[in-house]
Amino acid sequence: MPKWSLRRRPGRTLGLLLLLVLSFLVLRSPRVFMLNVVSVLFLAAASACSSPAVGPSPGSSAEESHLSRLNWNTLVPLWLQRQRLGLRTKGPDFILEDSIFQILGGSIHYFRVPREYWRDRLLKLKACGLNTLTTYVPWNLHEPERGKFDFSGNLDLEAFIQLAAKIGLWVILRPGPYICSEIDLGGLPSWLLQDPDMKLRTTYHGFTKAVDLYFDHLMSRVVPLQYKHGGPIIAVQVENEYGSYNKDRAYMPYIKKALEDRGIIEMLLTSDNKDGLEKGVVDGVLATINLQSQQELMALNTVLLSIQGIQPKMVMEYWTGWFDSWGGSHNILDSSEVLQTVSAIIKDGSSINLYMFHGGTNFGFINGAMHFNDYKADVTSYDYDAILTEAGDYTAKYTKLRELFGTVSGIPPPPPPELTAKMVYEPMSPALYLSLWDAIQYMDKPVTSETPINMENLPVNNGNGQAFGYVLYETTIFSSGVLSGLVRDRGQVFLNRVSIGFLDYKTTKITIPLTQGYTILRILVENRGRVNYGNNIDSQRKGLIGNLYLNNKALKNFKIYSLDMTKQFLQRFDMDNWSVIPKELTFPAFFLGALSVGIYPSDTFLKLEGWVKGVVFVNGHNLGRYWNVGPQETLYLPGVWLDKGINKVIIFEETMSGSMVQSTDIPHLGRNQYIN
């Protein structure tokens, strides 16, 4: 007969303890018993069929016992456990439990970094002397189709937060729904724009209905990761820089309530720059500021004091650099200036978050844009001239700030991890070719329409429209004249297969030369990125907007092809569809080549000298756009996306190809000498 011990039957021991608790509650108060019996039964069921998962809690081996206690708390109902106080304010200080706490944070966006490198980047953040990670949550990536959510792979938010905790970092979550972040439409899904009356970032019913559904799903994942539930999340931001937008007074209170109603119980924060600080305040929410200079710090602190009195001060975004736009220069902020400003912020008694600590990459088409006087799309790289480079390498800023933060905390930071390996591979010459006009036959059946349809309203993707990429419009014309229309953002115009020019924000008309009889008019329109900041986000529909006119007469009867350039899109092209590169090329076109990699695949940067404008895919991964107007001259290729041996490279080039693609171990972000 087996000898059962308490050691081998923890569920039975726990059950006996729970029975004692239940008996005590019944004797003390039947009403209390009724209120809590469901929680107890749930706990008993959970304990009988599972063991506690490893719960996140910042700290090293010295805090292992604390980890266990936090794991236990995640299973015990709140009425049974000691309430943990969490992050709160006391006069000018943040208090975490019973201790003064200064937030030394850094921003890393999980969606801009290959998942395999999350740990490396977070360890480098910890080794810089920081104690807190901040990250945005991109709604448009997590809900690509209405009601269809994706939190897998590189979008596994929970895994990212839990990894941060294991490394010893607290987390400030910035869930939006709008996040700016130099991401397409500020992180809002493009399918929201199917509604012609949509009013984003307001209490317009069509918007709040979508936010409510998204928050229902998102918060169910986030709530268990809060500090008071044993997780690392110590604070949550309410929207983002709303004071600069400020179109609906009821909106921020609505977002605050939406978070609280779904179980957010940690400290709530707002975040505003100088343009919106006074208008971004919400009752019961701590205001924080965004800035880059010491002069701004002094001015904004005065405003902050007048708004909310003596409260802890925090620079939620200290901009360590800046983003780049196509056709502009690479932005650089001197490391000495960064050190001086960060030192001043800390000396001022403020907490700080470095935006960005590590920027990463706008892989695919996720980059945003700015449109004030001129439309300017952001480049693929989100290097940001941050503390770590796009590929995660150390900078002079890192070295100086690590020394500073070590002095502030009085505890030497852990040693920095070694750099990830870089490699220069042999140049790759594409071997096969497929013109866009020949590729059309392998695509989905085109949409037919009397008039042009913008990208977001195309009847594709289960009725959710098209979010990113290109759209090809075709119709027939029978005369020459002046072609005009609104093209968003850049449209290459073709007569049959011959390019005759471009339409964009500045060029709204183009002359059609003399034609003879039946001619196919084609316009390949690229969505270069929806604006992520400003008052015109409601008007960010892409493709052909409204009618297309020839001699002021609206053209009719369009075929419309959705070229979203996804992995599934590229899989339509079988090897039999490609041909050897001919002497006379027709553009736009796809090019296929093989990149040979040795035993140890390593990071590299692809340099496309001689190529003009397009997109590069490696093993199905969209590395992003290239364009010879600069400033970005190379595309980052993570080694974790490479295989030993032969790697499949596809290039979509719009106008003119080079003879090869080179590899370098050094990124080039300075302005290019090639101007289109």
Side-chain angles (χ1 to χ4, degrees), residues 210 244 352 385 387 454 573 591:
S244 302
I352 187 172
D385 195 38
I387 313 305
N454 61 284
F573 306 151
F591 294 82

Side-chain angles (χ1 to χ4, degrees), residues 543-617:
L544 288 182
I545 310 301
N547 284 316
L548 186 67
Y549 299 92
L550 182 59
N551 297 327
N552 296 319
K553 183 179 179 180
L555 296 173
K556 304 291 183 181
N557 301 319
F558 285 83
K559 288 183 180 180
I560 308 172
Y561 295 86
S562 172
L563 313 180
D564 55 11
M565 302 286 181
T566 61
K567 185 177 291 188
Q568 292 73 26
F569 176 90
L570 296 175
Q571 288 173 347
R572 297 187 180 102
F573 306 151
D574 295 328
M575 287 303 298
D576 294 340
N577 304 146
W578 299 84
S579 62
V580 176
I581 297 177
K583 291 183 179 180
E584 297 294 328
L585 299 175
T586 301
F587 291 94
F590 297 90
F591 294 82
L592 177 61
L595 179 66
S596 180
V597 173
I599 299 176
Y600 302 106
S602 301
D603 288 2
T604 193
F605 300 87
L606 300 184
K607 190 172 179 64
L608 292 102
E609 288 187 357
W611 303 76
V612 176
K613 187 177 187 303
V615 191
V616 177
F617 307 84

Side-chain angles (χ1 to χ4, degrees), residues 198 202-213 251 254 262:
M198 176 56 65
T202 70
T203 52
Y204 172 69
H205 175 70
F207 185 67
T208 58
K209 181 180 178 182
V211 171
D212 287 341
L213 176 63
Y251 177 68
Y254 153 71
R262 288 164 178 80

